[in-house]
């Protein structure tokens, strides 16, 4: 009997219409766990490095994490894995909600989609019954609307539906996939779904999931629940960290927190250009609190989670919709609109179009900046309203429909800048590996964030930062107090690292934490994210917040009780490192090299180019990679990835002597 996982994947070839239920190798759990981990193995085996995002050979995998559908709190993440049209590297946006659990209850760990349908379809999965259904009547419909229309057609109100909107149909490079209160947003998985002519995937399942040691697992969950209840009653107070991020457990608590002084004065507005340090006045606070309080009808949760991180939005003149996390701020700040009511209006439209709420506002602000600089002209903006709100809504429509200037903007800042020309390239200053970043501009180079921004495979800071404070804590006394209760640390020596880290002086950024210490801390945080993404856990319970309920010391117990897998901390770290290095090798095989691992030039005001190279070299050495950021043969063999080393050698990506000369 298989525990926690179903032991079956659903294979769908859209080009032929063939649908097959395929048994999986149980040994893969011990090697890669599930979720992103086993997705990586499938992508490595089946997607050649020459395959592009919109080729029929590209796969689109909807993957339920290993613990999804079990009683493990917050195990709700669906991983959507494919090749990104933006970066030409692996994309794996995650979404919460209920789809992952429903997929397990239908009897599948993954849905693996290949080829292209000849007409628009949606996939209907009801236990062992699987159909490709005509979606012609849904063409042009919004992602939110489509979910309801499909439930009505199927007469299955409990079906979980993930859908694309107009942006996905039109292959906008940063199109999202919307589902329940969540979305798979980053790196353009919605565009790949649109290219394959799949409007939606709908799932209803009624089967059981089995646990190896259910009583033991429930005791572990009781401890986790007690911890969360204590944290909710006693939020962390740390000045250098966003309260929405660190105060209580859960994904960023933008719906519950109304004090946005930290984000609005610390992050950049417009095209990630300007900090408005005096923005958060008493008048703004009163207006924003009033707007948010009126707009949120009730709070909502993902599958088997008590934290209610999302909100049901009910704003006059706007259809009701579910909202999550930082999208509350992205459009308003990008548009320089000081009225939070604008957020509720534009986000509903953007979600229905199916657009990433991080990339899209930055692309729209980039267009406005080009217009104000005279690079885009009145002809490009013909018919556009002149007010800030109207201008952003107009641009949003153009992008989703790929009309006029929106056709260029639909490919993202990097590509649009180069197609527009006439100096537009200089305005593309907030992308990494061709992907738009958070709207942050800071002063002094931070070595930890330099490495996280440069090297993480998600190409998005929110998928790598987490368990370490975002800045040095002001006083020695406060630091001593902070480390007193920190059982989540992987090693006691990390306490000394934090004690020694000061806001100013010799033990401050940019030269402290040292390159070696920075590498250790970053490796720890990325290990946690790799574990969460394989298990399907919300990062807000593990890898993304300070002092979380899930950590390296209890992950093995939870996994073992659910799956029966004999696992200790060393074994779990080995699996996480195996997945990380397979992921890195996959991207190396597609061309990723050291030269690509650069944050935007103006991300920090004070930069140290030679020292940054020293940081990167130290990190590569710590990881067991060569100077190009490619895992060495020795490292790969130690992780049971000899077949990866052989492939890289055969392609000339790894050559003789690189282990010795370049690591």
């Amino acid at each position: 009997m298989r525990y926690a996982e179903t032991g079956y994947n659903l294979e769908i070839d859209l080009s032929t219409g063939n649908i097959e239920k395929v048994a999986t190798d149980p040994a893969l759990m011990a090697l890669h766990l599930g979720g992103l981990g086993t997705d990586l193995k499938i992508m490595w085996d089946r997607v050649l490095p020459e395959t592009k995002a919109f080729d029929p050979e590209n796969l689109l995998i909807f993957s339920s994490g290993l613990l999804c559908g079990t009683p493990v709190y917050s195990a709700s993440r669906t991983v959507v894995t494919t090749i990104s049209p933006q970066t030409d590297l692996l994309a794996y946006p995650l979404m919460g909600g209920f789809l992952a659990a429903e997929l397990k209850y239908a009897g599948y760990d993954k849905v693996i989609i290949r080829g292209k349908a000849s007409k628009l379809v949606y996939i209907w999965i009801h236990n062992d019954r699987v159909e490709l259904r005509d979606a012609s009547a849904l063409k042009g419909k919004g992602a939110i609307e489509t979910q309801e229309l499909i439930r009505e057609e199927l007469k299955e109100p409990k079906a979980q539906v993930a859908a694309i909107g107009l942006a996905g149909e039109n292959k906008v490079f940063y199109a999202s996939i919307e589902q329940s209160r969540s979305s798979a947003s980053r790196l353009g998985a919605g565009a790949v779904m649109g290219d394959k002519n799949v409007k939606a995937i709908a799932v209803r399942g009624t089967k059981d999931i089995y646990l190896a040691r259910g009583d033991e697992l429930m005791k572990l969950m009781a401890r986790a629940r007690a911890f969360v209840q204590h944290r909710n009653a006693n939020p962390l107070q740390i000045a250098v960290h966003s309260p929405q991020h660190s105060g209580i457990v859960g994904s960023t608590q933008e719906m519950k927190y109304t004090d946005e002084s930290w984000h609005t004065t610390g992050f950049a507005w417009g095209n990630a250009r300007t900090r408005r340090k005096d923005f958060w006045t008493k008048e703004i606070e009163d207006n924003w609190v009033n707007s948010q309080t009126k707009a949120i009808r009730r709070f909502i949760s993902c599958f088997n989670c008590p934290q209610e991180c999302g909100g049901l939005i009910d704003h006059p003149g706007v259809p009701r919709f579910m909202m999550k996390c930082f999208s509350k701020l992205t459009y308003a700040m990008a548009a320089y609109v000081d009225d939070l009511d604008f957020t509720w209006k534009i986000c509903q439209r953007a979600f229905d179009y199916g657009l990433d709420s991080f990339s899209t506002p930055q692309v729209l602000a980039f267009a406005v900046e080009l217009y104000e600089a005279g690079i885009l002209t009145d002809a490009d903006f013909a018919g556009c309203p002149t007010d800030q709100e109207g201008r952003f809504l107009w641009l949003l429509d153009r992008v989703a429909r790929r009309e006029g200037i929106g056709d260029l903007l639909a490919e993202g800042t990097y590509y649009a800048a180069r197609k527009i020309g006439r100096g537009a390239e200089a305005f593309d200053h907030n992308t990494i590996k061709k992907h738009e970043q958070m709207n942050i501009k800071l002063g002094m180079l931070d070595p930890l964030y330099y490495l996280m921004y440069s090297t993480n495979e998600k190409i998005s800071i929110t998928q790598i930062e987490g368990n370490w404070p975002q800045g040095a804590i002001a006083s020695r006394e406060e630091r001593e107090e902070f480390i007193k209760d920190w059982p989540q640390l992987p090693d006691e020596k990390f306490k000394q690292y934090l004690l020694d880290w000061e806001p100013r002086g010799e033990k401050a950024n940019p030269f402290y934490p040292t390159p070696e210490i920075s590498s250790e801390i970053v490796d720890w945080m990325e290990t946690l994210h790799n574990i969460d993404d394989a298990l399907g856990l919300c990062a807000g319970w593990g890898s993304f917040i300070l002092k979380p309920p899930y950590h390296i010391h209890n992950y093995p117990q939870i996994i073992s009780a659910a799956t029966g897998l004999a696992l200790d901390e060393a074994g779990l770290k080995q699996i996480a490192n195996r997945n990380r290095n397979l992921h890195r090798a996959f991207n190396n095989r597609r061309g990723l090299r050291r030269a690509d691992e650069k944050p935007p030039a103006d991300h920090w005001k004070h930069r140290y180019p030679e020292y940054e190279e020293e940081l990167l070299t130290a990190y590569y050495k710590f990881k067991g990679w060569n100077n190009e950021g490619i895992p060495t043969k020795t490292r790969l063999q130690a992780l049971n990835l000899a077949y990866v080393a052989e492939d890289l050698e055969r392609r000339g990506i790894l050559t003789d002597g690189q282990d010795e000369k370049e690591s």
Side-chain angles (χ1 to χ4, degrees):
M1 181 180 290
R2 302 284 278 270
Y3 298 112
E5 61 179 357
T6 70
Y8 292 95
N9 292 337
L10 184 62
E11 297 264 3
I12 299 176
D13 188 328
L14 296 167
S15 299
T16 64
N18 186 62
I19 299 171
E20 188 176 2
K21 182 178 181 178
V22 179
T24 60
D25 183 352
L28 287 174
M29 184 201 295
L31 288 170
H32 300 284
L33 295 179
L36 177 63
T38 40
D39 282 5
L40 292 167
K41 177 68 168 124
I42 293 167
M43 294 293 288
W44 175 271
D45 289 344
R46 295 172 54 177
V47 179
L48 296 175
E50 298 80 17
T51 302
K52 300 300 180 184
F54 297 144
D55 289 346
E57 294 79 15
N58 185 20
L59 299 180
L60 180 66
I61 306 174
F62 286 81
S63 184
S64 181
L66 178 60
L67 298 183
C68 293
T70 75
V72 174
Y73 289 123
S74 89
S76 64
R77 263 39 188 178
T78 304
V79 187
V80 183
T81 307
T82 191
I83 299 299
S84 167
Q86 277 195 310
T87 65
D88 196 39
L89 303 173
L90 192 83
Y92 64 103
L94 301 102
M95 56 184 168
F98 301 85
L99 184 73
E102 202 73 28
L103 187 61
K104 282 277 191 77
Y105 298 150
Y108 310 100
D109 297 312
K110 304 180 190 292
V111 179
I112 304 171
I113 302 168
R114 63 186 183 271
K116 296 186 183 185
S118 58
K119 62 179 181 179
L120 195 65
V121 299
Y122 73 87
I123 299 166
W124 169 225
I125 302 167
H126 189 187
N127 295 330
D128 294 326
R129 175 186 173 190
V130 183
E131 301 176 58
L132 296 177
R133 297 175 68 107
D134 184 5
S136 301
L138 299 172
K139 186 174 179 61
K141 300 291 186 182
I144 300 172
E145 181 185 10
T146 292
Q147 295 174 51
E148 292 306 317
L149 290 172
I150 286 177
R151 290 189 186 99
E152 290 173 10
E153 178 179 313
L154 296 172
K155 296 181 174 57
E156 283 284 355
K158 293 184 178 180
Q160 298 303 315
V161 184
I164 59 171
L166 197 57
E169 289 183 33
N170 288 329
K171 294 190 281 189
V172 175
F173 280 17
Y174 39 94
S176 61
I177 302 169
E178 301 291 328
Q179 177 259 146
S180 184
R181 62 155 233 71
S182 193
S183 62
S185 296
R186 312 240 64 193
L187 294 169
V192 175
M193 193 163 164
D195 178 68
K196 292 187 177 300
N197 253 341
V198 176
K199 182 66 176 178
I201 176 170
V203 185
R204 179 75 179 110
T206 57
K207 298 183 180 182
D208 292 326
I209 296 291
Y210 299 97
L211 301 173
R213 299 188 298 277
D215 288 347
E216 180 182 332
L217 182 65
M218 296 312 294
K219 289 176 183 177
L220 290 166
M221 289 303 100
R223 291 179 206 163
R225 181 65 182 266
F227 177 94
V228 171
Q229 289 171 336
H230 175 76
R231 272 288 296 274
N232 288 346
N234 302 275
L236 290 181
Q237 303 291 332
I238 175 169
V240 296
H241 223 84
S242 159
Q244 292 90 330
H245 180 175
S246 64
I248 63 176
V249 171
S251 63
T252 309
Q253 297 284 347
E254 294 293 336
M255 297 297 101
K256 288 186 175 178
Y257 280 81
T258 56
D259 182 352
E260 289 294 353
S261 56
W262 199 89
H263 284 123
T264 59
T265 62
F267 285 17
W269 292 60
N271 183 22
R273 291 285 192 188
T274 307
R275 288 179 65 185
R276 300 172 69 185
K277 297 181 181 181
D278 59 351
F279 173 76
W280 194 254
T281 63
K282 183 64 167 62
E283 181 183 4
I284 289 290
E285 181 177 15
D286 289 345
N287 287 340
W288 280 38
V289 170
N290 182 59
S291 176
Q292 184 168 330
T293 303
K294 286 183 176 179
I296 297 177
R297 185 174 182 86
R298 63 180 175 86
F299 295 109
I300 51 179
S301 299
C302 293
F303 174 83
N304 196 29
C305 180
Q307 284 305 90
E308 298 181 322
C309 301
L312 176 61
I313 305 301
D314 187 0
H315 185 72
V318 176
R320 287 184 186 176
F321 68 103
M322 296 182 186
M323 189 175 184
K324 63 278 179 188
C325 138
F326 199 62
S327 50
K328 185 182 88 177
L329 297 179
T330 54
Y331 285 98
M333 291 180 70
Y336 284 101
V337 173
D338 296 352
D339 183 355
L340 195 61
D341 284 359
F342 172 63
T343 283
W344 321 124
K345 299 173 190 173
I346 195 166
C347 281
Q348 191 281 332
R349 190 180 301 188
F351 294 171
D352 216 25
Y353 281 145
L355 284 165
D356 173 11
S357 292
F358 285 85
S359 285
T360 310
Q362 290 302 301
V363 176
L364 304 187
F366 159 77
V368 170
E369 204 171 46
L370 291 185
Y371 182 53
E372 291 173 345
I375 295 172
L376 291 179
T377 67
D378 288 341
D380 296 311
F381 275 66
C384 178
T386 57
D387 65 290
Q388 291 160 300
E389 292 191 22
R391 191 160 55 178
F392 250 57
L393 289 164
W394 182 87
L395 282 167
L396 186 76
D397 294 344
R398 303 284 86 68
V399 166
R401 295 186 170 95
R402 274 189 175 261
E403 293 177 353
I405 191 60
D407 192 39
L408 288 175
L409 298 176
E411 298 190 359
T413 307
Y414 177 88
Y415 294 105
R418 281 145 187 82
K419 289 187 176 182
I420 292 167
R422 304 188 300 279
E425 296 90 340
F427 293 77
D428 166 30
H429 63 94
N430 197 43
T431 57
I432 298 175
K433 298 165 188 165
K434 306 180 180 67
H435 181 48
E436 292 78 19
Q437 298 301 306
M438 288 278 286
N439 52 319
I440 307 172
K441 291 288 179 285
L442 301 172
M444 181 62 70
L445 173 79
D446 181 328
L448 298 173
Y449 276 77
Y450 172 80
L451 290 176
M452 289 189 287
Y453 268 111
S454 298
T455 64
N456 91 85
E457 308 296 353
K458 177 71 173 183
I459 319 178
S460 167
I461 195 63
T462 56
Q463 288 298 319
I464 191 63
E465 66 175 341
N467 278 196
W468 191 259
Q470 293 174 331
I473 298 172
S475 71
R476 178 82 180 191
E477 292 73 22
E478 289 174 292
R479 297 197 290 275
E480 289 175 347
E481 184 64 29
F482 187 82
I483 68 169
K484 282 182 181 177
D485 181 25
W486 206 359
Q488 295 88 349
L489 287 174
D491 193 292
E492 286 292 300
K493 65 184 177 181
F494 281 68
K495 291 183 178 179
Q496 193 63 48
Y497 298 160
L498 188 76
L499 283 175
D500 291 344
W501 189 23
E502 299 174 342
R504 289 169 294 280
E506 293 182 1
K507 290 292 184 73
N509 293 346
F511 301 113
Y512 194 89
T514 66
E516 292 73 25
I517 293 174
S518 295
S519 297
E520 283 189 81
I521 295 170
V522 170
D523 179 73
W524 166 46
M525 288 196 283
E526 71 178 26
T527 295
L528 298 178
H529 279 285
N530 271 278
I531 294 168
D532 283 349
D533 295 346
L535 301 180
L537 292 175
C538 169
W541 281 64
S543 54
F544 186 59
I545 64 168
L546 294 178
K547 301 183 177 181
Y550 298 151
H551 47 80
I552 195 63
H553 306 305
N554 64 12
Y555 279 128
Q557 301 168 36
I558 294 167
I559 296 166
S560 295
T563 68
L565 184 67
L567 193 63
D568 58 15
E569 290 181 26
L572 181 56
K573 289 176 182 176
Q574 182 84 340
I575 295 171
N577 279 318
R578 180 179 299 120
N579 290 346
R580 172 72 164 112
N581 280 269
L582 179 57
H583 195 164
R584 167 60 54 146
F586 182 90
N587 282 341
N588 290 145
R589 197 166 67 164
R590 299 187 66 82
L592 178 69
R593 298 293 184 272
R594 184 187 186 111
D596 301 306
E597 310 241 81
K598 305 292 181 189
D602 66 346
H603 186 81
W604 292 282
K605 185 176 181 180
H606 302 289
R607 297 290 293 268
Y608 300 82
E610 291 183 5
Y611 183 62
E612 291 171 20
E613 291 302 319
E614 185 182 338
L615 279 165
L616 205 55
T617 296
Y619 174 81
Y620 285 175
K621 183 177 181 180
F622 182 89
K623 297 297 292 183
W625 301 348
N626 67 27
N627 266 352
E628 282 298 312
I630 302 167
T632 62
K633 183 175 182 178
T634 300
R635 181 63 168 149
L636 292 168
Q637 289 176 332
L639 293 169
N640 303 104
L641 295 173
Y643 67 93
V644 174
E646 292 169 5
D647 184 272
L648 295 181
E649 286 183 320
R650 187 168 60 251
R651 296 175 185 276
I653 296 169
L654 274 177
T655 57
D656 290 342
Q658 280 190 320
D659 278 19
E660 293 78 19
K661 294 178 182 178
E662 299 191 30
S663 63

